[in-house]
Amino acid sequence: MYLRMKRIIDIVLSLLGLIVLSPVFLILIIGIKLDSKGPVLFKQKRVGINKTHFSLLKFRTMKIDTPKDTPTHLLKDPTIYITKMGKFLRKTSLDELPQILNILSGRMSIIGPRPALWNQYDLIEERDKYGANDILPGLTGWAQIKGRDELPIDVKAQLDGEYVKSIGFWFDVKCFIGTFISVVKSDGVVEGGTGAKGGEEAASDKETVSK
């Protein structure tokens, strides 16, 4: 029952968000274009509900010569690839705003497990244990306010499983409010040099450029 209401809430809030934030979108688009060469948006292959794939949208925060399909925290020195505008977008999480369009299209929800990269096989497998691949991924979620990039894969999947078990209106409200607090404090954001290949650390949600 709640899942039907949740979809209605997603549509209403995302439409409202597009209208209210349209001036912000315009300013960010101009800033990105003036700051560096390349498209304003980029598409990234992510895992959606029932492990289907979709193209997640973000504002571009990195230069177009960034290594393809490499999470930011696995780059030896990601700062050389992040644009000046990109630093601001990442710090404020404004690079995530275009995902409002993913929500409107029904590929994402406002609250849910963050969609894994298509090649985050360890995370996808761990989420299977908790049924976290069987619901719509979210713009933000329970794991996001509990550590984000700092979380090991098994912990992130477990937190996603906790969300699946407790999914409901008030839990979504708790995640929504917690997200604003996390963004203001910049909790759990890892830009580079702390991850390990092979899935020992959670892959960054931040941009990896697909050329």
Side-chain angles (χ1 to χ4, degrees):
M1 179 66 181
Y2 173 65
L3 292 181
R4 292 182 181 179
M5 184 174 75
K6 182 178 172 69
R7 178 58 189 152
I8 295 173
I9 293 173
D10 284 340
I11 293 172
V12 172
L13 290 184
S14 55
L15 280 173
L16 183 62
L18 278 178
I19 295 171
V20 173
L21 296 173
S22 56
V24 177
F25 270 81
L26 181 59
I27 292 171
L28 295 180
I29 289 170
I30 294 173
I32 293 169
K33 292 301 292 184
L34 291 176
D35 183 46
S36 62
K37 295 180 180 179
V40 171
L41 298 177
F42 78 100
K43 295 180 180 180
Q44 193 175 57
K45 189 177 178 181
R46 295 280 183 133
V47 179
I49 188 170
N50 298 322
K51 292 189 282 190
T52 56
H53 291 156
F54 73 101
S55 295
L56 178 141
L57 300 174
K58 287 189 179 187
F59 281 126
R60 181 176 57 84
T61 64
M62 305 185 81
K63 299 174 182 177
I64 59 175
D65 60 348
T66 303
K68 183 180 178 181
D69 289 332
T70 303
T72 310
H73 73 288
L74 293 182
L75 295 172
K76 185 175 181 180
D77 183 9
T79 58
I80 65 175
Y81 299 108
I82 301 172
T83 64
K84 292 179 181 178
M85 188 67 182
K87 292 178 183 177
F88 168 74
L89 291 171
R90 285 164 173 255
K91 185 175 179 61
T92 58
S93 292
L94 289 173
D95 58 320
E96 311 285 356
L97 284 182
Q99 287 161 56
I100 292 176
L101 298 175
N102 290 126
I103 296 170
L104 271 176
S105 69
R107 303 312 300 267
M108 289 179 63
S109 179
I110 294 174
I111 309 295
R114 279 296 296 169
L117 286 163
W118 66 273
N119 56 358
Q120 284 182 278
Y121 304 116
D122 289 351
L123 177 58
I124 297 167
E125 184 178 353
E126 280 293 314
R127 282 177 168 173
D128 270 337
K129 298 177 182 178
Y130 304 100
N133 291 316
D134 301 331
I135 63 174
L136 283 174
L139 177 64
T140 186
W142 186 233
Q144 295 309 107
I145 65 175
K146 290 293 183 176
R148 297 178 70 176
D149 301 339
E150 293 178 344
L151 296 174
I153 283 175
D154 58 339
V155 176
K156 178 180 283 190
Q158 185 176 355
L159 288 169
D160 291 334
E162 289 178 13
Y163 176 77
V164 174
K165 279 187 176 180
S166 306
I167 191 169
F169 177 75
W170 290 113
F171 196 30
D172 276 2
V173 171
K174 184 176 182 178
C175 291
F176 191 80
I177 294 173
T179 297
F180 283 100
I181 296 174
S182 294
V183 169
V184 170
K185 295 169 64 177
S186 294
D187 284 345
V189 178
V190 176
E191 290 293 14
T194 62
K197 293 182 180 179
E200 293 180 8
E201 297 290 338
S204 171
D205 251 342
K206 293 302 180 184
E207 174 182 348
T208 56
V209 173
S210 295
K211 298 175 184 176

